């Protein structure tokens, strides 16, 4: 049994990405400081946070250090979720914010420090620190700046290029704003688009984008 299998055997929630909930069985990654399992796309998002906030490693492809393995053993997705429920505003509220706000929050910072202390057997910190300016989340254009194409102007689906007609109706991908047809934005491709919790229409090319990357 490899380390990932052991994690999943301990809690099935470790088999799904902490951030987006997708299955991680093919490519499980970890955020070292949070000891959580991420999918490959979300690991890419974490990489942009910088190694001080979230250092990512492939659980299957990298050779984890003793410290990284030990972190996975004392952490995991349910452990972080339980901490957020107990000490923060809850895991649902945490996941309802943008991915940057999640990991640049004081509560995530506290969890990182607690895990690091736990690893060396030190006293677990309890203080929520205000974030240093250095730890400010990267700036991004709000989603509302995405321009939707006027419906009548798009004659063809911008993904498959088939003509719209009575049967092939126009829809908007909530992520890129393009006019797309139903087969190019099926129900299975709906994904939450924070701050909207309810799954929103995504086109087939946007569905693979990491959470919240515009
Ligand atoms: Zn993910
Ligand atoms: Zn189409
Ligand atoms: Zn799209």
């Amino acid at each position: 049994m490899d380390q990932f299998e052991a994690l999943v055997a301990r809690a099935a929630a470790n088999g799904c990405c902490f951030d987006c909930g997708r299955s991680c069985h093919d490519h499980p990654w970890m955020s070292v400081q949070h000891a959580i399992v991420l999918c490959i796309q979300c690991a890419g998002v974490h990489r942009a946070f910088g190694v001080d906030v979230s250092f990512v490693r492939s659980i299957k492809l990298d050779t984890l250090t003793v410290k990284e393995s030990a972190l996975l053993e004392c952490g995991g997705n349910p452990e972080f979720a339980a901490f957020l429920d107990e000490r923060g505003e809850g895991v649902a509220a945490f996941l309802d914010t943008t991915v940057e706000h999640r990991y640049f929050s004081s509560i995530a910072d506290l969890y990182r420090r607690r895990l690091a202390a736990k690893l060396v057997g030190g006293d677990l910190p309890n203080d929520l620190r205000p974030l240093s300016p250095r730890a400010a989340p990267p700036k991004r254009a709000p989603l509302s700046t995405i321009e939707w194409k006027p419906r009548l102007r798009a004659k063809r689906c911008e993904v498959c290029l088939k003509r719209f007609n009575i049967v092939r109706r126009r829809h908007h991908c909530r992520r890129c704003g393009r006019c797309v047809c139903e087969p190019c934005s099926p129900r299975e491709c709906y994904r939450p688009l924070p701050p909207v919790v309810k799954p929103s229409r995504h086109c087939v090319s946007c569905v693979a984008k990491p959470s919240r990357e515009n």
Side-chain angles (χ1 to χ4, degrees):
M1 197 188 284
D2 67 24
Q3 184 141 24
F4 179 66
E5 288 163 2
L7 273 171
V8 176
R10 200 174 82 211
N14 286 326
C16 296
C17 175
F18 187 88
D19 277 353
C20 72
R22 256 177 270 179
S23 164
C24 294
H25 286 259
D26 291 339
H27 299 289
W29 284 68
M30 75 178 286
S31 162
V32 173
Q33 288 94 324
H34 306 92
I36 49 173
V37 182
L38 297 171
C39 71
I40 190 166
Q41 283 90 0
C42 294
V45 175
H46 276 241
R47 184 172 280 137
F49 298 161
V51 294
D52 290 344
V53 171
S54 187
F55 180 52
V56 288
R57 303 273 279 153
S58 164
I59 300 176
K60 284 200 174 162
L61 303 177
D62 289 323
T63 309
L64 299 185
T65 64
V66 174
K67 184 184 154 199
E68 287 159 0
S69 293
L71 275 168
L72 279 182
E73 267 158 43
C74 67
N77 292 0
E79 284 70 14
F80 188 33
F83 171 80
L84 292 168
D85 281 338
E86 208 177 292
R87 293 292 309 266
E89 285 163 16
V91 66
F94 182 77
L95 292 177
D96 207 17
T97 59
T98 68
V99 75
E100 292 86 3
H101 279 98
R102 295 175 198 170
Y103 295 95
F104 287 90
S105 63
S106 301
I107 194 77
D109 168 69
L110 175 60
Y111 191 66
R112 290 193 284 270
R113 286 183 290 129
R114 285 174 71 91
L115 264 184
K118 198 167 163 185
L119 203 64
V120 295
D123 289 336
L124 301 188
N126 275 309
D127 59 309
L128 284 171
R129 310 190 288 199
L131 295 179
S132 70
R134 196 171 129 263
K139 293 261 185 305
R140 259 172 211 248
L143 276 181
S144 56
T145 60
I146 289 180
E147 266 184 42
W148 284 22
K149 294 235 169 175
R151 292 210 165 206
L152 290 170
R153 282 233 312 271
K155 295 265 188 288
R156 292 169 184 271
C157 165
E158 292 174 77
V159 172
C160 67
L161 304 180
K162 289 187 181 141
R163 260 183 194 285
F164 290 122
N165 53 37
I166 288 226
V167 191
R168 189 175 296 273
R169 310 286 297 269
R170 287 178 188 84
H171 300 281
H172 278 107
C173 168
R174 300 297 189 269
R175 190 70 174 267
C176 65
R178 294 186 298 178
C179 271
V180 291
C181 68
E182 173 69 29
C184 292
S185 57
R187 191 72 232 180
E188 310 86 86
C189 289
Y190 283 30
R191 295 283 183 274
L193 204 54
V196 182
V197 188
K198 204 171 114 243
S200 314
R201 185 180 294 270
H202 276 52
C203 70
V204 287
S205 33
C206 284
V207 75
K209 288 184 190 168
S211 179
R212 284 300 291 198
E213 190 201 83
N214 294 333

